[in-house]
Amino acid sequence: MLGILLLQSLADLPAWAWAALPGGILLHFFILAVCHLRSRSVLLGVLLAGVAAGLGWAAWRAELRLADALDPAWEGRDVRVTGRVVSLPQGFERGQRFEFQVEAAEPRQARVPERLWLSVYQRDGTAEGGAATLFQAGERWVLTVRLKRPHGSANPGGFDYEAWLLERNLRATGYVRASPAPERQDEFVPWPPMNGIHRLRQGLRQAFARELGDAPYGGILSALVIGDQRTIPNAQWAVFNRTGTTHLMSISGLHVTLIASLVGWLVLRLWRRLPALCLYWPAQKAAILSAWLAALSYALLAGFGIPAQRTCLMLTVAALAMLSSRNVGVGRILLLALAGVLIPDPWAVLAPGFWLSFGAVAALLWLSLQLAPAWQARGGWRAWGCEFARTQWAATLATLPILLWVFQQFPLVSPLANLLAIPLVSFIITPLCLLAALLVWWPGLPLFSWAHTLLSGLMAVLEWLSAMPLWQPPRADFQAALLAALGVFLLLLPRGVPGKGAGLMLLLPLLLWPRPTLAPGSLRMTVLDVGQGQAVLLETAGHRLLYDAGPAYGSDDAGRRVVLPYLQGRGIAVLDLLVVSHRDNDHAGGLNSLRQALPVRQLMSSMPDLEGGRLCSRGQAWEWDEVRFSFLHPEPGRPLDGKNGDSCVLRAETRSGRLLLTGDIEVREEASLLAGQRPQLSAEVLLMSHHGSTSSSSLPFVAAVGPRLALASAGYRNRFQHPRPEVLERYEGLGAQVWRTDRDGALVLDFSGGAVAIQPWRQAGRRYWWGR
């Protein structure tokens, strides 16, 4: 695991790394063959050999996967592909998304990856300009697609979409063209077997939709059975996040183990009542095998995510040991499950769910070994209650460092919410949903209705608890997270162990990590990578200003997906000023999510109908912490409608330099600024108007500003081709350095030294899979 983790943290993939695999294996066997195993130096050598083997294995797998790449020459061009739908299609408000296994491509010179992540956009149930196109798992289709290489937003502490695609071996993304129309060749291809499982999952999802209709929590019930979480609205996810119950919405080890235990218990009771069966095979072994089959079936039905994989592997090792009458320690079972997850999927270490899953299970197993004799001696409901409380404490403590380091938040009501939600969801609601799925062919049974009624009551309580405060410390260094993990280990040691109290001290750096501070007169500017849109954070010593909120992405938006996680990582809980330059979706799409999630002390825009907002106007100026801000546009008295030309133009001046944010103003507004505000336009840093469109950035305006750094906030291969090549030539011809979010990721600028310093995130936080 350490070797794999080391490889996944590298900025570039070393050409020699794959050689560590045979070297580590040979060193391991050499040490075991010639040395005594109990020597400390030998154990260290074995550990180093394991690290080398893990690094080499992950490097070899990465080389193979990255080699299956889309030829850059075929980005944005039509390709005709034949293949199969190999995943459960995910619906969204404008169509479907699914994984597609390519069997053939035309023209033949087009080098297309083996697996694609495709979208089909529809209007009223039909593809744009084409016939009805509803895809189902296991079908073979001939499609015309337009593809691009894996690319996602790159922001400090943000979700790594490119890593997500790499782990799932989706080496290109794209969309299905309506012309020529898609052609279905086969309604169902039985190989591989997962096609049949995905088809079953899709049928169950449709049955749930028929039974539940527009029930508000129908998506949750579907997720508990087939693992389809995309049907859960964002508002419900917010409730789970604020109460620490998100883990219950995935098919976790608790759910799989519960179903396995229930089936095993039923088989054991029935088997014992049939003497002939007991003579043929012991009841205990029949129950073990039945429980394992139930666990595997449920995990496959749910999509076989990492928590389900880990649980199935652990149950497999335990079942094999018990069926062969061998005694295998729980620690070895956990390690074998760890290897079983990482060998086929070395990128699993990049997922927070991997660490949450294995961390919580390790803590529970460790605690059970310590306290099992005491619980067995007590017996009764008091012992059960004590056991549940202690296990809840252990799981909460074990996951605390991961939650704080990855998500920068910990709901203070989480223990109380889980105390209610875990028994209700795991022991009642989930079994009811599974029983309803098994009897879905039997109409009239009110199982779904019962489950939804119970869930409605639980959600009412969780929604009330979600109003309670969150603990949101800023993002700490990795070293602080490691110290906290060591502190958790010490705190979970048995009573009386010397040094156990030091665990609290080791937790303090993570719990009390200070918020980043700036000196008076300094300014920190972050142009976030939000795709085809804009969101800029300005920070002074004691104030925070956000200029624009990013675009909306259908039912989601950049405010929730990009801006809020970044603010949390910086320890920002309040915005002193939020400026929405104008009403276009790519600038104002994330506004509602931001206003719902954190307090905004003042809101300004060029939209007269914006509730709770003031209009920006030339002449408005203020000073924060020795940094002066002012609006240069729109002119006072100008009738405003929030269109491009009405954009709020903001200027900031520090001792180190000046910056200019111009929204989407166009050539006419630039000429107006040149006529009345030319002396105020000069700035070292300019955020290009309208993302680098030809309708803006006129030569006289760029020359008057004279930027040393010209920044463009634009989406990768956007349909407008922003920033336009002729505009870039204009800036570069005047001596400006051009930086762009689609190529360089988030741009962090520091106005605190003698000159403005810039840090592009795709260089500072580089990973070997970015751009490949």
Side-chain angles (χ1 to χ4, degrees):
M1 186 191 72
L2 292 176
I4 289 173
L5 185 62
L6 175 63
L7 191 281
Q8 308 303 359
S9 65
L10 295 180
D12 294 291
L13 200 59
W16 52 264
W18 64 268
L21 174 60
I25 294 174
L26 290 175
L27 177 61
H28 175 82
F29 283 109
F30 174 79
I31 292 172
L32 295 183
V34 302
C35 302
H36 194 271
L37 186 58
R38 294 185 179 179
S39 167
R40 290 185 178 179
S41 59
V42 171
L43 291 176
L44 179 60
V46 171
L47 174 63
L48 293 177
V51 170
L55 186 144
W57 172 257
W60 179 61
R61 291 291 309 281
E63 289 281 7
L64 292 177
R65 188 154 291 186
L66 292 175
D68 185 25
L70 175 69
D71 187 343
W74 285 91
E75 281 192 289
R77 298 171 62 181
D78 285 354
V79 181
R80 192 77 167 164
V81 294
T82 301
R84 294 168 284 116
V85 179
V86 291
S87 71
L88 176 69
Q90 304 290 342
F92 63 102
E93 68 282 351
R94 292 184 295 159
Q96 286 181 307
R97 292 190 181 96
F98 52 87
E99 297 178 21
F100 192 76
Q101 183 83 28
V102 176
E103 298 173 347
E106 295 180 5
R108 293 185 177 181
Q109 62 267 31
R111 198 177 75 183
V112 176
E114 184 180 357
R115 290 173 70 92
L116 310 174
W117 181 237
L118 297 179
S119 301
V120 56
Y121 297 94
Q122 299 172 343
R123 292 176 180 170
D124 301 325
T126 62
E128 290 192 25
T133 318
L134 295 177
F135 294 87
Q136 297 195 51
E139 294 177 332
R140 177 180 280 115
W141 287 82
V142 179
L143 307 173
T144 300
V145 297
R146 188 164 287 186
L147 303 174
K148 63 181 180 180
R149 293 160 68 87
H151 189 92
S153 299
N155 296 286
F159 173 68
D160 193 338
Y161 180 60
E162 293 176 49
W164 184 88
L165 291 172
L166 181 67
E167 181 184 8
R168 285 153 181 80
N169 196 20
L170 302 172
R171 301 301 300 131
T173 64
Y175 63 93
V176 178
R177 300 276 284 169
S179 179
E183 301 175 12
R184 183 168 59 190
Q185 290 190 332
D186 295 295
E187 291 190 1
F188 180 68
V189 180
W191 187 262
M194 280 301 294
N195 283 352
I197 294 172
H198 289 316
R199 179 63 70 90
L200 173 62
R201 297 175 67 206
Q202 192 165 5
L204 287 174
R205 183 172 65 185
Q206 294 169 355
F208 292 168
R210 288 194 303 269
E211 291 286 337
L212 295 169
D214 58 353
Y217 306 115
I220 298 175
L221 299 181
S222 178
L224 290 175
V225 176
I226 61 173
D228 181 18
Q229 300 178 1
R230 293 179 180 268
T231 55
I232 302 178
N234 290 332
Q236 294 175 13
W237 278 120
V239 172
F240 299 139
N241 289 331
R242 294 187 63 86
T243 54
T245 53
T246 306
H247 63 97
L248 291 174
M249 297 307 109
S250 62
I251 307 301
S252 65
L254 178 62
H255 295 148
V256 175
T257 305
L258 171 67
I259 298 304
S261 302
L262 179 61
V263 171
W265 177 78
L266 289 173
V267 170
L268 181 65
R269 296 296 298 268
L270 293 174
W271 202 276
R272 284 177 172 174
R273 294 180 178 273
L274 300 173
L277 291 178
C278 292
L279 291 174
Y280 180 74
W281 209 34
Q284 293 88 346
K285 291 188 176 182
I288 292 168
L289 181 60
S290 301
W292 177 80
L293 288 173
L296 180 63
S297 301
Y298 184 30
L300 289 173
L301 184 65
F304 214 53
I306 284 181
Q309 291 177 32
R310 182 256 307 157
T311 305
C312 283
L313 286 165
M314 292 182 67
L315 291 176
T316 299
V317 175
L320 290 174
M322 297 176 72
L323 291 174
S324 61
S325 301
R326 297 188 62 180
N327 185 15
V328 181
V330 292
R332 183 166 297 180
I333 292 175
L334 184 65
L335 290 175
L336 288 171
L338 183 70
V341 170
L342 290 182
I343 288 175
D345 183 10
W347 297 276
V349 295
L350 301 174
F354 170 86
W355 300 99
L356 290 170
S357 178
F358 276 97
V361 171
L364 294 176
L365 291 176
W366 176 248
L367 192 68
S368 65
L369 290 175
Q370 298 177 38
L371 303 179
W375 293 333
Q376 293 172 0
R378 293 177 186 173
W381 67 270
R382 291 185 179 180
W384 184 89
C386 179
E387 177 181 358
F388 184 80
R390 287 176 183 267
T391 54
Q392 178 65 27
W393 155 252
T396 300
L397 188 62
T399 56
L400 178 63
I402 304 169
L403 291 172
L404 290 182
W405 188 67
V406 176
F407 301 108
Q408 295 89 51
Q409 69 175 27
F410 180 76
L412 298 178
V413 298
S414 175
L416 177 60
N418 279 283
L419 191 65
L420 173 65
I422 288 178
L424 189 58
V425 172
S426 300
F427 293 100
I428 302 177
I429 295 177
T430 300
L432 272 177
C433 291
L434 287 172
L435 186 59
L438 290 174
L439 301 177
V440 70
W441 50 269
W442 192 345
L445 288 178
L447 298 178
F448 279 122
S449 177
W450 294 347
H452 192 271
T453 300
L454 290 172
L455 183 60
S456 299
L458 173 64
M459 290 300 297
V461 176
L462 293 182
E463 288 169 3
W464 177 73
L465 291 174
S466 67
M468 302 298 177
L470 279 174
W471 183 18
Q472 293 181 309
R475 183 180 179 87
D477 287 346
F478 182 62
Q479 294 85 342
L482 287 180
L483 287 176
L486 179 59
V488 168
F489 173 76
L490 292 176
L491 289 172
L492 291 177
L493 288 174
R495 290 182 181 179
V497 174
K500 181 177 179 179
L504 288 175
M505 300 299 296
L506 295 176
L507 281 173
L508 290 181
L510 182 66
L511 302 181
L512 303 178
W513 193 260
R515 286 174 169 78
T517 57
L518 297 171
S522 299
L523 177 69
R524 190 177 193 268
M525 172 186 182
T526 305
V527 183
L528 291 168
D529 182 6
V530 294
Q532 185 61 21
Q534 186 169 285
V536 183
L537 178 66
L538 303 178
E539 302 174 70
T540 67
H543 296 83
R544 312 291 180 263
L545 185 156
L546 183 68
Y547 183 88
D548 285 337
Y553 313 124
S555 60
D556 205 353
D557 59 72
R560 190 187 72 86
R561 189 187 297 181
V562 178
V563 180
L564 281 174
Y566 184 74
L567 295 178
Q568 291 172 0
R570 296 288 297 170
I572 298 174
V574 178
L575 286 175
D576 296 284
L577 175 59
L578 173 55
V579 177
V580 182
S581 62
H582 62 295
R583 70 171 66 253
D584 280 2
N585 170 71
D586 55 339
H587 294 252
L591 174 61
N592 289 335
S593 292
L594 290 172
R595 296 183 75 177
Q596 292 171 7
L598 77 169
V600 176
R601 289 176 176 157
Q602 190 173 6
L603 175 64
M604 300 187 73
S605 76
S606 60
M607 297 179 283
D609 55 344
L610 181 60
E611 183 180 355
R614 291 176 53 205
L615 293 177
C616 59
S617 177
R618 186 180 67 197
Q620 296 170 336
W622 67 97
E623 185 172 308
W624 284 343
D625 311 309
E626 302 178 20
V627 177
R628 183 166 180 79
F629 297 87
S630 59
F631 284 114
L632 304 184
H633 183 77
E635 304 90 345
R638 171 186 175 125
L640 299 178
D641 191 31
K643 297 181 179 179
N644 286 353
D646 297 334
S647 296
C648 304
V649 176
L650 179 66
R651 182 176 189 264
E653 185 175 1
T654 73
R655 291 191 292 264
S656 302
R658 293 148 295 184
L659 67 90
L660 192 64
L661 306 178
T662 56
D664 278 357
I665 62 169
E666 299 182 344
V667 173
R668 183 172 56 183
E669 287 73 35
E670 292 176 350
S672 175
L673 286 169
L674 287 172
Q677 304 284 313
R678 180 180 288 268
Q680 287 76 31
L681 293 179
S682 175
E684 284 74 16
V685 177
L686 171 65
L687 186 61
M688 294 183 194
S689 304
H690 207 173
H691 319 286
S693 166
T694 53
S695 64
S696 306
S697 297
S698 60
L699 183 60
F701 179 79
V702 175
V705 177
R708 184 173 67 84
L709 301 174
L711 317 179
S713 180
Y716 179 68
R717 298 190 62 86
N718 64 85
R719 63 190 179 95
F720 308 104
Q721 300 181 20
H722 294 160
R724 299 285 296 185
E726 53 267 41
V727 173
L728 297 180
E729 291 178 5
R730 193 173 301 158
Y731 280 99
E732 292 170 345
L734 292 173
Q737 294 182 13
V738 173
W739 299 88
R740 42 195 292 182
T741 57
D742 59 338
R743 181 193 64 196
D744 305 307
L747 305 172
V748 182
L749 290 84
D750 183 14
F751 294 75
S752 61
V756 180
I758 185 168
Q759 182 186 64
W761 183 244
R762 282 193 178 268
Q763 294 180 17
R766 178 172 171 76
R767 291 295 181 264
Y768 69 82
W769 55 83
W770 281 359
R772 298 187 63 182

